[in-house]
Coordinates of all heavy atoms in Angstrom, one line a residue:
A160 N 8.7 -48.9 24.9 CA 8.6 -48.0 23.7 C 9.6 -48.5 22.7 O 10.7 -48.7 23.1 CB 8.7 -46.6 24.0
G161 N 9.4 -48.5 21.4 CA 10.3 -48.9 20.4 C 10.7 -47.6 19.7 O 10.5 -46.5 20.0
P162 N 11.6 -47.8 18.6 CA 12.1 -46.7 17.8 C 11.0 -45.9 17.2 O 10.0 -46.4 16.9 CB 13.0 -47.4 16.8 CG 13.1 -48.8 17.2 CD 12.0 -49.2 18.1
I163 N 11.3 -44.6 17.1 CA 10.3 -43.7 16.4 C 10.9 -43.5 15.0 O 10.1 -43.2 14.1 CB 10.1 -42.3 17.0 CG1 11.4 -41.6 17.3 CG2 9.4 -42.5 18.3 CD1 11.2 -40.2 17.6
N164 N 12.2 -43.7 14.8 CA 12.7 -43.5 13.4 C 12.8 -44.9 12.7 O 13.6 -45.7 13.1 CB 14.1 -42.9 13.5 CG 14.8 -42.8 12.2 OD1 14.2 -42.9 11.1 ND2 16.1 -42.5 12.2
H165 N 12.0 -45.1 11.7 CA 12.0 -46.3 11.0 C 12.8 -46.2 9.6 O 13.0 -47.3 9.0 CB 10.5 -46.8 10.8 CG 9.9 -47.1 12.1 ND1 10.2 -48.3 12.8 CD2 9.1 -46.4 12.8 CE1 9.5 -48.2 14.0 NE2 8.8 -47.1 14.0
I166 N 12.9 -45.0 9.1 CA 13.4 -44.9 7.7 C 14.6 -43.9 7.5 O 15.3 -44.0 6.5 CB 12.3 -44.5 6.7 CG1 11.7 -43.2 7.1 CG2 11.3 -45.6 6.6 CD1 10.7 -42.6 6.1
I167 N 14.8 -43.0 8.4 CA 15.8 -41.9 8.2 C 17.2 -42.3 8.6 O 17.4 -42.6 9.7 CB 15.3 -40.6 8.9 CG1 13.9 -40.2 8.7 CG2 16.3 -39.4 8.6 CD1 13.5 -39.8 7.3
R168 N 18.1 -42.3 7.6 CA 19.5 -42.5 7.8 C 19.8 -43.6 8.9 O 20.6 -43.3 9.8 CB 20.2 -41.1 8.1 CG 20.1 -40.2 6.9 CD 20.2 -38.7 7.2 NE 21.1 -38.3 8.3 CZ 21.1 -37.1 8.7 NH1 20.4 -36.0 8.3 NH2 22.0 -36.7 9.6
K169 N 19.3 -44.7 8.7 CA 19.4 -45.8 9.7 C 20.9 -46.4 9.8 O 21.1 -47.1 10.7 CB 18.4 -46.9 9.4 CG 16.9 -46.5 9.5 CD 16.6 -46.1 11.0 CE 16.6 -47.3 11.9 NZ 16.0 -47.0 13.3
D170 N 21.7 -46.0 8.8 CA 23.1 -46.5 8.8 C 23.9 -45.6 9.8 O 25.1 -46.0 10.1 CB 23.6 -46.5 7.5 CG 23.6 -45.1 6.8 OD1 22.6 -44.4 6.9 OD2 24.6 -44.8 6.1
E171 N 23.3 -44.5 10.4 CA 24.1 -43.7 11.3 C 23.8 -44.0 12.7 O 22.7 -44.4 13.1 CB 23.7 -42.2 11.0 CG 24.2 -41.7 9.6 CD 23.7 -40.3 9.3 OE1 23.6 -39.5 10.3 OE2 23.6 -40.1 8.1
K172 N 24.8 -43.9 13.6 CA 24.6 -44.3 15.0 C 23.6 -43.3 15.7 O 22.8 -43.7 16.4 CB 25.9 -44.2 15.7 CG 25.8 -44.7 17.2 CD 27.2 -44.7 17.8 CE 27.1 -45.2 19.3 NZ 28.4 -45.2 19.9
K173 N 23.6 -42.0 15.2 CA 22.8 -41.0 15.8 C 22.5 -39.9 14.7 O 23.5 -39.5 14.1 CB 23.4 -40.4 17.0 CG 22.4 -39.3 17.7 CD 22.9 -38.8 19.0 CE 24.2 -38.2 19.1 NZ 24.6 -37.8 20.4
V174 N 21.3 -39.6 14.5 CA 20.9 -38.6 13.4 C 20.8 -37.2 14.1 O 19.9 -37.0 14.8 CB 19.6 -38.9 12.8 CG1 19.3 -37.9 11.7 CG2 19.6 -40.3 12.2
T175 N 21.9 -36.4 13.8 CA 21.9 -35.1 14.2 C 22.3 -34.2 13.1 O 22.9 -34.6 12.1 CB 23.0 -34.8 15.4 OG1 24.3 -35.2 14.9 CG2 22.7 -35.7 16.6
D176 N 21.8 -32.9 13.1 CA 22.1 -32.0 12.0 C 22.4 -30.6 12.7 O 22.0 -30.3 13.7 CB 20.8 -31.8 11.2 CG 20.6 -33.2 10.5 OD1 21.3 -33.5 9.6 OD2 19.6 -33.8 10.9
V177 N 23.2 -29.8 11.9 CA 23.5 -28.5 12.2 C 23.0 -27.6 11.1 O 23.2 -27.9 10.0 CB 25.0 -28.3 12.4 CG1 25.3 -26.7 12.7 CG2 25.5 -29.1 13.6
V178 N 22.2 -26.5 11.5 CA 21.7 -25.6 10.5 C 22.2 -24.2 10.8 O 22.0 -23.7 12.0 CB 20.2 -25.6 10.5 CG1 19.7 -24.6 9.5 CG2 19.6 -27.0 10.2
D179 N 22.9 -23.6 10.0 CA 23.4 -22.2 10.1 C 22.3 -21.2 9.9 O 21.6 -21.4 8.8 CB 24.5 -22.0 9.1 CG 25.2 -20.6 9.3 OD1 24.5 -19.6 9.1 OD2 26.4 -20.6 9.6
V180 N 22.0 -20.4 10.8 CA 20.9 -19.4 10.7 C 21.1 -18.6 9.5 O 20.0 -18.2 8.9 CB 20.8 -18.6 12.0 CG1 22.0 -17.6 12.2 CG2 19.5 -17.9 12.1
E181 N 22.3 -18.2 9.1 CA 22.4 -17.4 7.9 C 21.9 -18.2 6.6 O 21.4 -17.7 5.7 CB 23.9 -17.0 7.7 CG 24.4 -16.1 8.8 CD 23.5 -14.9 9.0 OE1 23.1 -14.3 8.0 OE2 23.4 -14.4 10.2
D182 N 22.3 -19.5 6.6 CA 21.8 -20.4 5.5 C 20.3 -20.4 5.4 O 19.7 -20.4 4.4 CB 22.3 -21.8 5.6 CG 23.9 -21.8 5.4 OD1 24.4 -20.9 4.8 OD2 24.4 -22.8 5.7
L183 N 19.7 -20.5 6.7 CA 18.2 -20.5 6.7 C 17.6 -19.2 6.1 O 16.6 -19.3 5.3 CB 17.7 -20.6 8.2 CG 17.6 -22.0 8.7 CD1 17.1 -21.9 10.2 CD2 16.7 -22.9 7.9
L184 N 18.2 -18.1 6.4 CA 17.7 -16.8 5.9 C 17.8 -16.8 4.4 O 16.9 -16.3 3.7 CB 18.6 -15.6 6.4 CG 18.2 -15.2 7.8 CD1 19.2 -14.2 8.4 CD2 16.8 -14.6 7.9
S185 N 18.8 -17.4 3.8 CA 18.9 -17.5 2.4 C 17.9 -18.4 1.8 O 17.6 -18.2 0.6 CB 20.3 -17.8 1.9 OG 20.6 -19.1 2.2
M186 N 17.5 -19.4 2.5 CA 16.5 -20.4 2.0 C 15.0 -19.9 2.1 O 14.2 -20.5 1.4 CB 16.6 -21.7 2.8 CG 18.0 -22.4 2.6 SD 18.1 -23.7 3.8 CE 16.9 -24.9 3.2
I187 N 14.7 -18.9 2.9 CA 13.3 -18.5 3.1 C 13.2 -17.1 2.5 O 13.9 -16.1 3.0 CB 13.0 -18.5 4.7 CG1 13.4 -19.8 5.2 CG2 11.5 -18.2 4.8 CD1 13.2 -19.9 6.7
K188 N 12.3 -16.9 1.7 CA 11.9 -15.6 1.1 C 11.2 -14.8 2.2 O 10.5 -15.4 3.0 CB 11.0 -15.8 -0.1 CG 11.6 -16.4 -1.3 CD 10.5 -16.6 -2.3 CE 11.1 -17.5 -3.5 NZ 10.0 -17.8 -4.4
P189 N 11.3 -13.5 2.1 CA 10.6 -12.7 3.1 C 9.1 -13.0 3.0 O 8.5 -13.1 1.8 CB 10.8 -11.2 2.6 CG 12.2 -11.3 2.0 CD 12.2 -12.7 1.2
G190 N 8.4 -13.2 4.1 CA 7.0 -13.6 4.2 C 6.8 -15.1 3.9 O 5.7 -15.5 4.1
G191 N 7.9 -15.8 3.8 CA 7.8 -17.3 3.6 C 8.1 -18.1 4.8 O 8.3 -17.6 5.9
K192 N 8.2 -19.4 4.6 CA 8.5 -20.3 5.7 C 9.1 -21.6 5.2 O 9.1 -21.9 4.0 CB 7.2 -20.7 6.5 CG 6.3 -21.7 5.8 CD 5.2 -22.2 6.7 CE 4.4 -23.2 6.0 NZ 3.3 -23.8 6.8
I193 N 9.8 -22.2 6.1 CA 10.4 -23.6 5.8 C 9.9 -24.5 6.9 O 9.8 -24.0 8.1 CB 11.9 -23.5 5.7 CG1 12.5 -24.8 5.2 CG2 12.6 -23.1 7.0 CD1 14.0 -24.7 4.7
S194 N 9.5 -25.7 6.6 CA 9.1 -26.6 7.6 C 9.9 -27.9 7.7 O 10.2 -28.5 6.7 CB 7.7 -27.1 7.2 OG 6.7 -25.9 7.0
F195 N 10.3 -28.1 8.9 CA 11.2 -29.3 9.2 C 10.3 -30.4 9.9 O 9.6 -30.2 10.7 CB 12.4 -28.9 10.1 CG 13.4 -28.1 9.4 CD1 13.4 -26.7 9.6 CD2 14.3 -28.7 8.7 CE1 14.4 -25.9 9.0 CE2 15.3 -27.9 8.0 CZ 15.3 -26.5 8.1
C196 N 10.6 -31.6 9.4 CA 9.9 -32.8 9.9 C 10.2 -33.1 11.3 O 11.4 -33.1 11.7 CB 10.1 -34.0 9.1 SG 9.4 -35.5 9.6
R197 N 9.2 -33.4 12.2 CA 9.4 -33.9 13.5 C 8.8 -35.2 13.8 O 8.8 -35.8 14.9 CB 8.9 -32.8 14.5 CG 9.7 -31.5 14.4 CD 9.5 -30.6 15.6 NE 8.0 -30.4 15.7 CZ 7.5 -29.6 16.7 NH1 8.2 -29.2 17.6 NH2 6.3 -29.3 16.7
C198 N 8.2 -35.8 12.7 CA 7.6 -37.1 12.9 C 8.4 -38.3 12.4 O 8.0 -39.4 12.7 CB 6.2 -37.1 12.2 SG 6.3 -37.4 10.4
W199 N 9.5 -38.0 11.8 CA 10.4 -39.0 11.3 C 9.9 -39.9 10.2 O 10.4 -40.9 10.0 CB 10.9 -39.9 12.5 CG 11.8 -39.1 13.5 CD1 11.3 -38.4 14.5 CD2 13.2 -39.0 13.4 NE1 12.4 -37.8 15.1 CE2 13.6 -38.2 14.5 CE3 14.2 -39.4 12.6 CZ2 14.9 -37.8 14.8 CZ3 15.5 -39.1 12.9 CH2 15.9 -38.3 14.0
K200 N 8.9 -39.4 9.5 CA 8.2 -40.2 8.5 C 8.3 -39.6 7.1 O 7.9 -40.2 6.1 CB 6.8 -40.5 8.8 CG 6.7 -41.4 10.1 CD 5.3 -41.8 10.4 CE 5.2 -42.6 11.7 NZ 6.2 -43.6 11.8
S201 N 8.9 -38.3 7.0 CA 8.9 -37.7 5.7 C 9.9 -38.3 4.7 O 10.9 -38.8 5.1 CB 9.4 -36.2 5.9 OG 9.6 -35.6 4.7
Q202 N 9.4 -38.4 3.4 CA 10.2 -39.0 2.4 C 11.2 -37.8 1.8 O 11.9 -38.0 1.0 CB 9.3 -39.5 1.2 CG 8.5 -40.7 1.7 CD 9.4 -41.9 2.0 OE1 10.3 -42.2 1.3 NE2 9.1 -42.5 3.1
D203 N 11.0 -36.6 2.4 CA 11.8 -35.4 2.0 C 12.6 -34.9 3.1 O 12.8 -33.7 3.2 CB 10.8 -34.4 1.4 CG 11.6 -33.2 0.7 OD1 12.7 -33.5 0.2 OD2 11.1 -32.1 0.6
W204 N 13.0 -35.8 4.0 CA 13.8 -35.4 5.1 C 15.0 -34.5 4.8 O 15.6 -34.8 3.8 CB 14.3 -36.7 5.8 CG 15.1 -36.4 7.1 CD1 16.4 -36.3 7.2 CD2 14.5 -36.3 8.4 NE1 16.7 -36.0 8.6 CE2 15.6 -36.0 9.3 CE3 13.2 -36.3 8.9 CZ2 15.4 -35.8 10.6 CZ3 13.1 -36.1 10.3 CH2 14.1 -35.9 11.1
P205 N 15.2 -33.5 5.5 CA 14.6 -33.1 6.9 C 13.4 -32.2 6.8 O 12.9 -31.7 7.9 CB 15.8 -32.3 7.5 CG 16.4 -31.6 6.4 CD 16.3 -32.6 5.2
Y206 N 12.9 -32.0 5.6 CA 11.7 -31.2 5.4 C 10.4 -32.0 5.6 O 10.3 -33.2 5.3 CB 11.7 -30.6 4.0 CG 13.1 -29.8 3.8 CD1 14.0 -30.4 2.9 CD2 13.4 -28.7 4.4 CE1 15.2 -29.8 2.6 CE2 14.6 -28.1 4.2 CZ 15.6 -28.7 3.3 OH 16.8 -28.1 3.1
C207 N 9.4 -31.3 6.1 CA 8.1 -31.9 6.2 C 7.4 -32.1 4.8 O 7.5 -31.2 4.0 CB 7.2 -31.0 7.0 SG 5.4 -31.4 7.1
D208 N 6.9 -33.2 4.5 CA 6.2 -33.5 3.3 C 4.7 -33.7 3.5 O 4.0 -34.1 2.6 CB 6.7 -34.6 2.5 CG 6.6 -36.0 3.1 OD1 6.0 -36.0 4.3 OD2 7.0 -37.0 2.6
G209 N 4.2 -33.5 4.8 CA 2.8 -33.6 5.1 C 2.3 -35.0 5.5 O 1.2 -35.1 5.9
V210 N 3.2 -35.9 5.5 CA 2.9 -37.3 5.8 C 2.4 -37.5 7.3 O 1.8 -38.5 7.7 CB 4.0 -38.3 5.4 CG1 5.1 -38.3 6.4 CG2 3.4 -39.7 5.3
H211 N 2.8 -36.5 8.1 CA 2.4 -36.6 9.5 C 0.9 -36.5 9.7 O 0.4 -37.1 10.7 CB 3.1 -35.4 10.4 CG 2.6 -34.0 9.9 ND1 3.3 -33.3 9.0 CD2 1.5 -33.3 10.3 CE1 2.6 -32.1 8.8 NE2 1.6 -32.2 9.6
K212 N 0.2 -36.0 8.7 CA -1.2 -35.9 8.8 C -1.8 -37.4 8.8 O -2.7 -37.7 9.6 CB -1.8 -35.1 7.7 CG -1.4 -33.6 7.8 CD -1.8 -32.9 6.6 CE -1.1 -31.5 6.5 NZ -1.2 -30.9 5.1
E213 N -1.3 -38.2 7.9 CA -1.8 -39.5 7.8 C -1.4 -40.3 9.1 O -2.2 -41.1 9.6 CB -1.2 -40.2 6.5 CG -1.8 -41.6 6.3 CD -3.2 -41.6 6.0 OE1 -3.8 -40.6 5.5 OE2 -3.8 -42.7 6.3
H214 N -0.2 -40.1 9.5 CA 0.3 -40.7 10.8 C -0.7 -40.4 11.9 O -1.1 -41.3 12.7 CB 1.7 -40.3 11.1 CG 2.1 -40.6 12.5 ND1 2.5 -41.9 12.9 CD2 2.1 -39.8 13.6 CE1 2.9 -41.8 14.2 NE2 2.6 -40.6 14.6
N215 N -1.0 -39.1 12.1 CA -1.9 -38.7 13.2 C -3.3 -39.3 13.0 O -3.9 -39.8 14.0 CB -2.0 -37.1 13.2 CG -0.7 -36.5 13.7 OD1 0.2 -37.2 14.3 ND2 -0.5 -35.2 13.4
K216 N -3.8 -39.3 11.7 CA -5.0 -39.9 11.6 C -5.2 -41.4 11.9 O -6.1 -41.9 12.5 CB -5.4 -39.7 10.0 CG -6.8 -40.2 9.7 CD -7.0 -39.8 8.2 CE -8.3 -40.4 7.6 NZ -8.5 -40.1 6.2
C217 N -4.1 -42.1 11.6 CA -4.0 -43.5 11.8 C -3.8 -43.9 13.2 O -4.2 -45.0 13.7 CB -2.9 -44.2 11.0 SG -3.3 -44.2 9.2
T218 N -3.0 -43.1 14.0 CA -2.5 -43.5 15.3 C -3.1 -42.7 16.5 O -3.0 -43.1 17.6 CB -1.0 -43.2 15.4 OG1 -0.8 -41.8 15.2 CG2 -0.3 -44.0 14.3
G219 N -3.8 -41.6 16.1 CA -4.4 -40.7 17.1 C -3.3 -39.8 17.7 O -3.5 -39.1 18.8
D220 N -2.1 -39.8 17.1 CA -1.0 -39.0 17.5 C -1.2 -37.5 17.2 O -2.3 -37.2 16.5 CB 0.3 -39.4 16.9 CG 1.6 -39.3 17.8 OD1 1.5 -38.4 18.8 OD2 2.6 -39.9 17.5
N221 N -0.4 -36.6 17.6 CA -0.6 -35.2 17.4 C 0.7 -34.4 17.0 O 0.9 -33.3 17.3 CB -1.2 -34.5 18.6 CG -0.3 -34.5 19.8 OD1 0.8 -35.2 19.7 ND2 -0.5 -33.8 20.8
V222 N 1.5 -35.2 16.2 CA 2.9 -34.6 15.8 C 2.8 -33.7 14.6 O 1.7 -33.8 13.8 CB 3.9 -35.7 15.5 CG1 4.1 -36.4 16.8 CG2 3.5 -36.6 14.4
G223 N 3.7 -32.7 14.4 CA 3.6 -31.8 13.3 C 5.0 -31.3 13.1 O 5.9 -31.5 13.9
A224 N 5.2 -30.4 12.1 CA 6.4 -29.9 11.6 C 6.9 -28.7 12.6 O 6.1 -28.1 13.3 CB 6.3 -29.3 10.2
L225 N 8.1 -28.4 12.5 CA 8.8 -27.2 13.1 C 8.7 -26.2 11.9 O 9.4 -26.4 10.9 CB 10.1 -27.4 13.6 CG 11.0 -26.1 13.9 CD1 10.3 -25.4 15.0 CD2 12.4 -26.5 14.2
N226 N 7.9 -25.1 12.0 CA 7.8 -24.1 11.0 C 8.6 -22.9 11.4 O 8.4 -22.4 12.4 CB 6.3 -23.8 10.7 CG 5.4 -24.9 10.3 OD1 5.9 -25.6 9.4 ND2 4.3 -25.1 11.0
I227 N 9.5 -22.6 10.5 CA 10.3 -21.4 10.7 C 9.9 -20.3 9.7 O 9.9 -20.6 8.5 CB 11.9 -21.7 10.6 CG1 12.2 -22.7 11.6 CG2 12.6 -20.5 10.7 CD1 13.6 -23.2 11.6
V228 N 9.4 -19.2 10.2 CA 8.9 -18.2 9.3 C 9.8 -17.0 9.2 O 10.6 -16.7 10.2 CB 7.5 -17.7 9.7 CG1 6.5 -18.8 9.7 CG2 7.5 -17.1 11.1
R229 N 9.8 -16.3 8.1 CA 10.6 -15.1 7.9 C 9.6 -13.9 7.7 O 8.8 -14.0 6.8 CB 11.5 -15.2 6.8 CG 12.4 -14.0 6.6 CD 13.5 -14.3 5.5 NE 14.2 -13.1 5.3 CZ 15.2 -12.9 4.4 NH1 15.5 -14.0 3.6 NH2 16.0 -11.9 4.3
K230 N 9.7 -12.9 8.5 CA 8.8 -11.7 8.3 C 9.1 -11.1 7.0 O 10.2 -11.1 6.5 CB 9.1 -10.8 9.4 CG 8.5 -11.3 10.8 CD 8.9 -10.3 11.9 CE 8.5 -10.8 13.3 NZ 8.8 -9.9 14.4
K231 N 8.1 -10.5 6.5 CA 8.2 -9.6 5.3 C 9.0 -8.4 5.8 O 8.8 -7.8 6.8 CB 6.8 -9.1 4.8 CG 6.1 -10.3 4.1 CD 4.8 -9.7 3.5 CE 4.1 -10.8 2.7 NZ 2.8 -10.4 2.2
T232 N 9.9 -7.9 4.8 CA 10.5 -6.7 5.1 C 9.7 -5.5 4.6 O 9.0 -5.7 3.5 CB 11.9 -6.7 4.5 OG1 11.8 -7.0 3.0 CG2 12.8 -7.7 5.1
S233 N 9.8 -4.4 5.2 CA 9.0 -3.3 4.6 C 9.8 -2.3 3.8 O 11.0 -2.5 3.6 CB 8.3 -2.6 5.8 OG 9.4 -2.2 6.7
Ligands
LIG157 FE1 7.0 -35.2 9.5 FE2 5.4 -33.3 8.6 S1 6.1 -35.0 7.6 S2 6.3 -33.5 10.6

């Protein structure tokens, strides 16, 4: 098997990120969501831009985003 990452931050030895949960809360409106890319092909990394659909169609793969949702407050 070869690399799965062909475009994202290739100058780094390892691509890792830290996300503070409080920052996530401030980024997502109540009832909203944020989607993080897991296919390594997004042009809007680290966010999903939907390109995984074309990847899946072309390759028969089944990858998709990590969707983090925030419940509506009452
Ligand atoms: Fe990568 Fe959607 S673009 S998971």
